[in-house]
């Protein structure tokens, strides 16, 4: 449920290192808890995000939640598929349901993210 | 909500947990919001069938020689035209015309009526009805009667396996006061709040689990799914039905909500009639309208409705419609903006999202699927 190669935020985002860049999405736990995702507001490519500041909003039929940036940096790509197919977040949160690709501005921030083990413990307490 | 109060549980609580339901607090009850997903359950009801536990709703019996007079005085709709085995939907208004509750009233005997009321308003309704029921005996039977809603085009086929009641002869709002479902005594009516054909089944509180299990088993080959409050809300909104506490309440009248058809002026006096008549004569200032949005963003209760940048109303309900695949909602707007086709916007998190006033209901089930009344 929580891939070992990812890092996590306590707000339920995941981050994956890809050739110096960082891909971002929300965890399976968060997607399940939101239930059916119907709308996602994402920043434009070129805008900047700050670690643990909101970068967007995700809406399910029942709830609306903020999305938090795992690390600071510049948005180099957003998943434009999500505008038409937000359900990808439920179906494949770690794959086709990704949200942002970031060029990180502070490499030390990665170390402050939770490991899979730490996140699993956090979710265990919340569940 | 959120306080550390004890939530009440329906007789199906254990059944919901066994099905993996996500339970939430609702009107003082712990209720299933979803089992496998709101979207999936919603579409199951539209295409096949869904089974809801609505045992949290209140049931009030009004009986005796004064029962009819009491209800004629309390309700805006005309209970006098009900034969035994028929029901109707009606607001119950305060003297100023505001809606105290919306309910379904069934005539279950010559001088005996069953009111099915909202969970959150049951205590208030009971006091109000008892206060005005001089000649009638008013009794709260909420904790004696469970209520299951079997909804969807396959509902009749499923239920016909479990009851001797003549389902094919029942028209919408017809009821069978005493029959059996899965060999348990039960009230049964051709009603629901989803916009589909369907039935509501009221067994004794303790008989609810076996009836629930029997319905699920009989419906499984036909694609029946248990469905939660989440799907109930998206279904009723698509069908253009009001949610008490969100779309209508004591500050709104049936004439402002699209419930003018439930106000039967010709039946004689009733509580709220004078105020409603005055409102009709001077003209309503605002109206509850349906709207659709150009984006998938959801208009939540309380969001401003804009026309040319100015606030002209407020959202009362909004969701993403699983059937129409677009954002829909209800809200009150000044009457000059109430015409279908009027362009407007809803301010969602500070951003105006364009849309337009849309005729209600958003969804109407195909004619061919409506029940055919045999022999009438």
């Amino acid at each position: 449920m929580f891939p070992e190669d990812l890092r996590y935020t306590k707000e339920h985002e995941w981050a994956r290192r890809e050739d110096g860049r960082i891909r971002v999405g929300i965890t399976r736990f968060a997607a399940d808890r939101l239930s059916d995702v119907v709308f996602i507001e994402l920043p434009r490519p070129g805008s900047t995000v700050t670690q643990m500041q909101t970068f967007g909003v995700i809406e399910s039929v029942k709830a609306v939640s903020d999305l938090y940036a795992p690390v600071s940096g510049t948005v180099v790509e957003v998943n434009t598929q999500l505008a038409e197919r937000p359900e990808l977040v439920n179906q494949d949160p770690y794959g086709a349901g990704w949200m942002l690709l970031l060029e990180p501005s502070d490499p030390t921030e990665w170390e402050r993210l939770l490991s899979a083990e730490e996140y699993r413990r956090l979710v265990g307490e919340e569940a | 909500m959120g306080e550390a109060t004890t939530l009440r549980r329906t007789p199906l609580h254990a059944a919901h947990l066994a099905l993996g339901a996500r339970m939430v607090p609702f009107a003082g009850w712990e209720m299933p919001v979803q089992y496998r997903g709101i979207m999936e359950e919603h579409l199951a009801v539209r295409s096949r069938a869904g089974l809801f536990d609505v045992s949290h709703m209140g049931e009030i019996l009004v009986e005796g020689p004064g029962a009819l007079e009491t209800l004629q005085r309390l309700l805006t709709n005309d209970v006098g035209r009900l034969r035994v085995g028929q029901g109707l939907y009606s607001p119950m208004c305060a003297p100023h015309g505001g809606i105290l509750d919306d309910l379904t009233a069934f005539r279950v005997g010559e001088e005996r009526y069953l009111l099915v009321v909202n969970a959150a308003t049951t205590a208030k309704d009971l006091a109000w009805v008892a206060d005005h029921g001089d000649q009638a005996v008013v009794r709260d039977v909420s904790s004696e009667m469970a209520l299951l809603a079997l909804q969807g085009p396959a509902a009749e086929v499923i239920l016909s396996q479990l009851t001797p009641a003549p389902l094919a002869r029942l028209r919408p709002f017809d009821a069978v006061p005493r029959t059996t479902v899965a060999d348990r005594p039960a009230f049964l009516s051709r009603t629901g709040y989803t916009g589909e054909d369907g039935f509501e089944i009221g067994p004794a509180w303790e008989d609810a689990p076996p009836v629930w299990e029997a319905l699920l088993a009989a419906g499984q080959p036909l694609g029946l799914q248990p469905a939660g409050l989440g799907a109930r809300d998206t279904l009723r909104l698509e069908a253009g039905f009001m949610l008490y506490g969100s779309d209508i309440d004591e500050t709104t009248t049936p004439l402002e909500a699209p419930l003018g058809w439930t106000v039967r002026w010709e039946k004689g006096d009733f509580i709220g009639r004078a105020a409603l008549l005055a409102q009709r004569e001077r003209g309503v200032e605002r109206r509850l309208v349906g709207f659709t949005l150009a984006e998938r963003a959801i208009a939540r209760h309380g969001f401003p409705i804009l026309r040319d940048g100015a606030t002209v109303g407020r959202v009362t309900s909004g969701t993403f419609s699983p059937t129409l695949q677009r954002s829909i909602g209800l809200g009150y707007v000044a009457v000059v903006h109430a015409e279908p086709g009027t362009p407007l916007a809803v301010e969602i998190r500070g951003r105006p999202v364009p849309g337009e006033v849309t005729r209600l209901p958003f969804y109407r089930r195909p004619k061919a699927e409506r029940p055919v009344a045999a022999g009438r």
Side-chain angles (χ1 to χ4, degrees), chain B residues 301-318:
Chain B
H301 181 88
F303 284 8
I305 298 175
L306 314 175
R307 176 111 194 251
D308 301 328
T311 300
V312 295
R314 294 270 160 193
V315 173
T316 56
S317 283

Side-chain angles (χ1 to χ4, degrees), chain B residues 132-210:
Chain B
H132 293 86
D134 317 326
Q135 305 292 320
V137 178
V138 179
R139 199 153 61 87
D140 180 9
V141 292
S142 303
S143 53
E144 295 165 30
M145 185 175 159
L147 199 61
L148 314 184
L150 175 67
Q151 301 282 296
E156 184 181 320
V157 177
I158 293 166
L159 186 56
S160 65
Q161 301 169 47
L162 299 171
T163 182
L167 301 184
R169 288 214 302 270
L170 299 182
R171 296 193 297 184
F173 282 92
D174 279 355
V176 184
R178 285 165 188 275
T179 182
T180 61
V181 175
D183 298 321
R184 312 279 165 154
F187 166 86
L188 190 157
S189 60
R190 191 160 213 148
T191 49
Y193 218 56
T194 60
E196 293 302 322
D197 182 26
F199 300 87
E200 288 176 301
I201 300 146
W205 194 257
E206 61 276 12
D207 284 342

Side-chain angles (χ1 to χ4, degrees), chain A residues 3-48:
Chain A
E4 293 295 329
D5 59 321
L6 304 183
R7 292 279 176 109
Y8 301 87
T9 73
K10 61 178 176 25
E11 302 289 348
H12 311 289
E13 288 80 14
W14 56 260
R16 179 189 291 127
R17 274 177 158 161
E18 292 179 10
D19 303 327
R21 290 175 166 175
I22 291 175
R23 199 175 292 273
V24 177
I26 65 165
T27 67
R28 167 80 64 194
F29 175 79
D32 286 352
R33 232 176 28 166
L34 278 167
S35 79
D36 304 292
V37 174
V38 294
F39 182 72
I40 304 163
E41 251 176 46
L42 296 175
R44 289 197 180 80
S47 54
T48 58

Side-chain angles (χ1 to χ4, degrees), chain B residues 36-364:
Chain B
R36 286 166 58 179
I38 292 170
M39 215 69 90
E40 183 179 334
E41 292 159 26
H42 179 113
L43 297 173
V45 172
R46 289 271 180 259
S47 61
R48 302 180 301 277
L51 184 62
F52 301 83
D53 175 15
V54 288
S55 301
H56 60 310
M57 296 187 76
E59 290 88 15
I60 298 170
L61 265 182
V62 183
E63 49 196 334
L68 176 60
E69 289 71 16
T70 298
L71 294 180
Q72 288 293 61
R73 192 155 70 244
L74 288 173
L75 305 182
T76 63
N77 208 334
D78 184 6
V79 182
R81 63 196 171 90
L82 294 182
R83 285 180 281 114
V84 175
Q86 286 187 316
L88 53 69
Y89 170 84
S90 181
M92 179 163 69
C93 286
H96 72 280
I99 303 171
L100 294 171
D101 198 9
D102 66 330
L103 53 85
T104 311
F106 295 98
R107 188 173 180 189
V108 295
E110 282 304 323
E111 294 182 332
R112 197 173 152 93
Y113 295 84
L114 177 71
L115 309 181
V116 179
V117 304
N118 282 296
T121 50
T122 303
K124 180 182 84 171
D125 293 353
L126 185 66
W128 183 257
V129 176
D131 277 355
H132 293 86
D134 317 326
Q135 305 292 320
V137 178
V138 179
R139 199 153 61 87
D140 180 9
V141 292
S142 303
S143 53
E144 295 165 30
M145 185 175 159
L147 199 61
L148 314 184
L150 175 67
Q151 301 282 296
E156 184 181 320
V157 177
I158 293 166
L159 186 56
S160 65
Q161 301 169 47
L162 299 171
T163 182
L167 301 184
R169 288 214 302 270
L170 299 182
R171 296 193 297 184
F173 282 92
D174 279 355
V176 184
R178 285 165 188 275
T179 182
T180 61
V181 175
D183 298 321
R184 312 279 165 154
F187 166 86
L188 190 157
S189 60
R190 191 160 213 148
T191 49
Y193 218 56
T194 60
E196 293 302 322
D197 182 26
F199 300 87
E200 288 176 301
I201 300 146
W205 194 257
E206 61 276 12
D207 284 342
V211 173
W212 170 270
E213 295 302 334
L215 285 165
L216 282 182
Q220 202 186 13
L222 291 153
L224 173 69
Q225 285 200 28
L229 292 184
R232 191 169 166 80
D233 192 51
T234 54
L235 288 158
R236 70 91 196 166
L237 187 47
E238 281 185 355
F241 296 148
M242 308 296 106
L243 175 63
Y244 192 83
S246 290
D247 304 314
I248 51 175
D249 58 26
E250 291 182 31
T251 71
T252 62
T253 75
L255 305 184
E256 295 163 350
L259 297 176
W261 63 274
T262 64
V263 180
R264 297 301 175 116
W265 309 100
E266 74 286 355
K267 74 166 181 168
D269 198 23
F270 55 88
I271 295 173
R273 186 176 193 273
L276 292 172
L277 197 58
Q279 186 181 40
R280 185 176 72 163
E281 278 164 11
R282 104 184 149 251
V284 296
E285 289 169 15
R286 58 176 184 171
R287 225 179 261 292
L288 189 74
V289 298
F291 60 80
T292 48
L293 297 181
E295 292 179 24
R296 297 172 63 120
I298 296 181
R300 309 272 172 185
H301 181 88
F303 284 8
I305 298 175
L306 314 175
R307 176 111 194 251
D308 301 328
T311 300
V312 295
R314 294 270 160 193
V315 173
T316 56
S317 283
T319 195
F320 181 76
S321 161
T323 307
L324 307 175
Q325 288 289 303
R326 65 187 306 184
S327 188
I328 63 172
L330 298 174
Y332 285 93
V333 296
V335 281
V336 292
H337 311 297
E339 231 8 75
T342 304
L344 46 73
V346 174
E347 189 180 317
I348 298 179
R349 293 180 290 277
R351 190 170 61 91
V353 174
E356 66 172 39
V357 177
T358 309
R359 204 173 295 280
L360 293 173
F362 299 105
Y363 165 86
R364 198 190 292 274

Side-chain angles (χ1 to χ4, degrees), chain A:
Chain A
M1 192 163 176
F2 309 121
E4 293 295 329
D5 59 321
L6 304 183
R7 292 279 176 109
Y8 301 87
T9 73
K10 61 178 176 25
E11 302 289 348
H12 311 289
E13 288 80 14
W14 56 260
R16 179 189 291 127
R17 274 177 158 161
E18 292 179 10
D19 303 327
R21 290 175 166 175
I22 291 175
R23 199 175 292 273
V24 177
I26 65 165
T27 67
R28 167 80 64 194
F29 175 79
D32 286 352
R33 232 176 28 166
L34 278 167
S35 79
D36 304 292
V37 174
V38 294
F39 182 72
I40 304 163
E41 251 176 46
L42 296 175
R44 289 197 180 80
S47 54
T48 58
V49 298
T50 308
Q51 187 175 38
M52 292 324 290
Q53 300 291 306
T54 63
F55 70 78
V57 171
I58 185 163
E59 290 205 63
S60 68
V61 174
K62 289 319 284 180
V64 52
S65 304
D66 285 323
L67 296 163
Y68 293 86
V71 298
S72 308
T74 304
V75 178
V76 291
E77 204 184 328
V78 301
N79 188 351
T80 52
Q81 269 211 300
L82 296 182
E84 288 305 315
R85 300 187 58 201
E87 65 272 16
L88 289 172
V89 173
N90 297 107
Q91 291 164 1
D92 190 8
Y94 303 116
W98 68 277
M99 293 176 186
L100 302 180
L101 189 62
L102 297 176
E103 187 72 54
S105 54
D106 179 355
T108 67
E109 287 179 344
W110 173 263
E111 299 306 322
R112 282 181 236 155
L113 296 172
L114 304 176
S115 68
E117 175 53 32
E118 287 166 325
Y119 181 67
R120 194 176 299 122
R121 218 176 298 135
L122 175 90
V123 165
E125 284 163 12
E126 282 193 19

